[in-house]
Amino acid sequence: MERERQFISQSLRITKNNFLWGVATSAFQLEGSPYADWSTWDSIFNLNPKVTNHYELYKEDIRLIKNLGVNAYRFSIEWSRIQPSENYWNKDVVKHYQRIIDLLNENNITPMVTIHHFTHPVWFIKKYPWHTRKSIEKFKEYVERLIENIKGVDYWITFNEPYLLILGGYIEGCIPPGQQDLNLAIKALKNILTCHGQLYDMIHLINKNAMISIAHNMAVFAPWLTWNPFDRILAKVAKRFYNHSIIEGFMDGKIRLPIPFRKTIEVDVPIQGKLDFFGINYYTRVHMRFNPFKKLFVEFRHKDINGGGLTDMGWEIYPKGLKKVLRYASRLKVPLIITENGIATKDDNRKIKFIKAHVDVLETAIQEGIDVRGYFYWSLIDNYEWLHGLDARFGLYRVDFRNYRRSPTRAASFYSYIIKSRYH
Ligand code: LGS
């Protein structure tokens, strides 16, 4: 087994110089913010507004990152802390994030910064929600000023999971801004993607070395009942809508959104070629079921087909799916980076098994010739998991939310071992 591993890693030549081994987080999930739309929205969040208290404990957390032996860290900057109100710019907060970046660079940990990870200031969503054109200018103003003031970052993710943001915020209505309107959803998606295209050019003007992408959530979609033609149609539609349409958008500037049992909607999005790599967040397979009482007739479900069990959030563990999404995305002909992959579980053994299974698939994908340049485990420490609160434990380090103490899970040393075994 050990010899086999060495052989694989030598033939792949994954080294610390050519591969980003990382961990990922997002600001609001670690540090909260009283000025973000979620804080007005979610009562679970309000029970614990400092979450892990990372804002104060960042030095300790960077030590944890260092101890893991990773060479990259993906995190986000919380806009609502920098601009709690429209005409105010908090320089101290920018300095705070700059300190984090400096500390990472001093420790040879490559920072990858997400500019928008689901949250924004309350004033923004009230006055300039994403379905209005003004959102683009407002967000660009913020980003320009941010990028001019931040040094030492080459890897930028403009938006985390635009499709999940739109599905949750504009179709399901389960996250802010809580709309349930397909037309608004399409407008919001168009604006966000258009904004990405413009940010891509703007960031490159300021930093010639920038490597820019979005982080796209991809899942595998399968029919709940394979013999049921409706379930089969839904699985196909979901795959094309959720996984593929944005990839086509980056290839030819047009996204085609199939809507169940209706005409495909075509949207022009000026994002053709506006990518230096492609970030993929991969977690699970979803089974699709036709349900006439649900919105767009769609019901999402999870099945434990492989007997690997479901995660604490009820999601199927399906490592093979990682290969499928990588294979599809490779048509973009840019390097791929797994910007998130992880499991919510309190059981260290399951966390270890999950990581091993996914890294194994990643290796076979690379052997197949797919250009993957990084893997970020979600997440460094337990944190606030949006609709699921504090109970979904993704962390390599456990957090006691009463006193903010961190302690390593056994998956932390396992992940370090994986990375070390790929040093040359
Ligand atoms: O914490 C989030 C993690 C956990 O699971 C992180 O903030 C997000 O970027 C990311 O979405 N995360 C996540 N995603 C799992 C998504 C499952 C895919 C379901 C597909 C539905 C159509």
Side-chain angles (χ1 to χ4, degrees):
M1 180 67 190
E2 190 50 43
R3 275 186 49 206
E4 198 177 293
R5 282 211 154 279
Q6 274 175 12
F7 171 74
I8 290 177
S9 60
Q10 272 168 25
S11 60
L12 296 174
R13 286 196 225 295
I14 296 179
T15 74
K16 247 206 175 172
N17 295 327
N18 67 9
F19 199 84
L20 298 175
W21 284 110
V23 279
T25 62
S26 91
F28 189 78
Q29 291 177 270
L30 295 197
E31 65 189 33
S33 163
Y35 318 106
D37 50 356
W38 274 86
S39 61
T40 60
W41 174 272
D42 191 351
S43 54
I44 310 179
F45 167 77
N46 284 306
L47 290 173
N48 198 333
K50 282 193 179 183
V51 198
T52 69
N53 200 21
H54 169 76
Y55 199 82
E56 282 156 44
L57 299 179
Y58 69 92
K59 283 192 190 142
E60 177 180 340
D61 288 340
I62 292 176
R63 220 171 302 129
L64 299 183
I65 299 171
K66 179 81 182 159
N67 290 346
L68 282 174
V70 296
N71 62 352
Y73 175 47
R74 173 178 173 228
F75 65 101
S76 74
I77 289 179
E78 180 57 41
W79 178 15
S80 67
R81 282 184 181 269
I82 297 176
Q83 289 197 292
S85 53
E86 189 175 351
N87 297 313
Y88 180 66
W89 183 269
N90 191 329
K91 280 191 190 147
D92 290 338
V93 174
V94 179
K95 277 192 200 138
H96 168 89
Y97 287 113
Q98 185 65 58
R99 272 197 297 275
I100 292 184
I101 291 161
D102 292 345
L103 208 51
L104 291 169
N105 283 324
E106 281 159 27
N107 283 287
N108 297 320
I109 299 164
T110 302
M112 176 184 284
V113 176
T114 311
I115 301 172
H116 186 277
H117 195 120
F118 292 163
T119 53
H120 20 242
V122 176
W123 60 262
F124 172 77
I125 208 68
K126 285 207 171 127
K127 269 177 93 177
Y128 313 96
W130 287 115
H131 57 270
T132 62
R133 288 293 292 180
K134 288 178 293 185
S135 59
I136 301 180
E137 280 318 304
K138 267 293 145 185
F139 191 56
K140 268 171 50 193
E141 263 170 38
Y142 158 69
V143 178
E144 183 162 26
R145 193 158 172 193
L146 179 73
I147 306 278
E148 275 172 349
N149 282 285
I150 290 283
K151 304 280 167 283
V153 179
D154 287 340
Y155 283 90
W156 292 98
I157 299 280
T158 55
F159 288 94
N160 181 65
E161 302 185 345
Y163 279 55
L164 208 59
L165 184 73
I166 298 299
L167 265 190
Y170 284 91
I171 293 182
E172 279 284 315
C174 57
I175 62 170
Q179 303 276 353
Q180 297 191 329
D181 184 322
L182 185 61
N183 288 330
L184 293 187
I186 308 277
K187 280 190 186 146
L189 185 61
K190 181 178 166 81
N191 288 342
I192 287 176
L193 296 183
T194 304
C195 190
H196 164 85
Q198 298 183 8
L199 291 176
Y200 178 89
D201 294 339
M202 181 215 283
I203 299 171
H204 270 293
L205 279 181
I206 302 171
N207 175 2
K208 299 256 170 325
N209 298 323
M211 294 287 287
I212 303 168
S213 178
I214 59 157
H216 180 43
N217 184 273
M218 294 181 84
V220 173
F221 295 95
W224 178 256
L225 299 171
T226 34
W227 53 261
N228 183 326
F230 291 123
D231 292 4
R232 284 215 301 270
I233 291 176
L234 287 180
K236 218 179 252 168
V237 165
K239 181 159 76 176
R240 281 174 39 219
F241 185 112
Y242 193 78
N243 281 357
H244 296 173
S245 59
I246 196 169
I247 291 177
E248 289 172 13
F250 279 116
M251 287 164 67
D252 69 5
K254 197 186 271 297
I255 53 174
R256 296 165 195 85
L257 301 169
I259 310 295
F261 314 109
R262 287 204 228 158
K263 244 179 76 192
T264 296
I265 300 175
E266 290 199 355
V267 190
D268 288 319
V269 284
I271 57 171
Q272 194 173 3
K274 301 215 182 279
L275 274 184
D276 301 306
F277 67 97
F278 189 58
I280 297 172
N281 297 350
Y282 175 76
Y283 286 88
T284 189
R285 169 163 67 176
V286 184
H287 281 83
M288 309 296 295
R289 190 177 194 186
F290 176 75
N291 182 337
F293 303 108
K294 289 268 178 183
K295 218 157 299 129
L296 301 172
F297 311 117
V298 181
E299 195 183 340
F300 302 96
R301 292 232 175 167
H302 288 278
K303 255 189 190 179
D304 178 16
I305 293 181
N306 299 320
L310 302 175
T311 75
D312 285 1
M313 287 165 78
W315 297 346
E316 187 192 359
I317 300 165
Y318 187 57
K320 272 193 209 148
L322 180 60
K323 176 86 104 12
K324 289 184 199 248
V325 299
L326 284 170
R327 227 182 250 151
Y328 191 85
S330 66
R331 71 190 53 208
L332 280 163
K333 306 260 182 301
V334 292
L336 307 177
I337 294 182
I338 314 297
T339 35
E340 285 181 33
N341 173 240
I343 177 173
T345 176
K346 295 186 182 75
D347 178 339
D348 292 6
N349 285 337
R350 297 193 79 203
K351 210 164 262 175
I352 288 172
K353 257 179 92 179
F354 181 98
I355 295 174
K356 181 177 181 320
H358 285 81
V359 170
D360 283 350
V361 169
L362 178 88
E363 287 182 336
T364 61
I366 295 173
Q367 280 174 331
E368 212 176 82
I370 302 177
D371 186 8
V372 190
R373 306 272 182 97
Y375 174 90
F376 289 72
Y377 178 79
W378 179 277
S379 182
L380 170 67
I381 56 178
D382 291 337
N383 56 57
Y384 167 74
E385 178 49 40
W386 311 113
L387 301 172
H388 300 264
L390 299 175
D391 227 34
R393 294 187 172 264
F394 280 95
L396 291 176
Y397 292 87
R398 225 170 272 118
V399 175
D400 182 335
F401 291 104
R402 292 162 307 183
N403 55 25
Y404 307 128
R405 227 167 265 150
R406 282 87 161 118
S407 54
T409 66
R410 284 195 296 109
S413 42
F414 179 74
Y415 191 44
S416 301
Y417 159 76
I418 290 217
I419 296 164
K420 263 194 220 119
S421 64
R422 280 149 186 77
Y423 266 132
H424 298 286

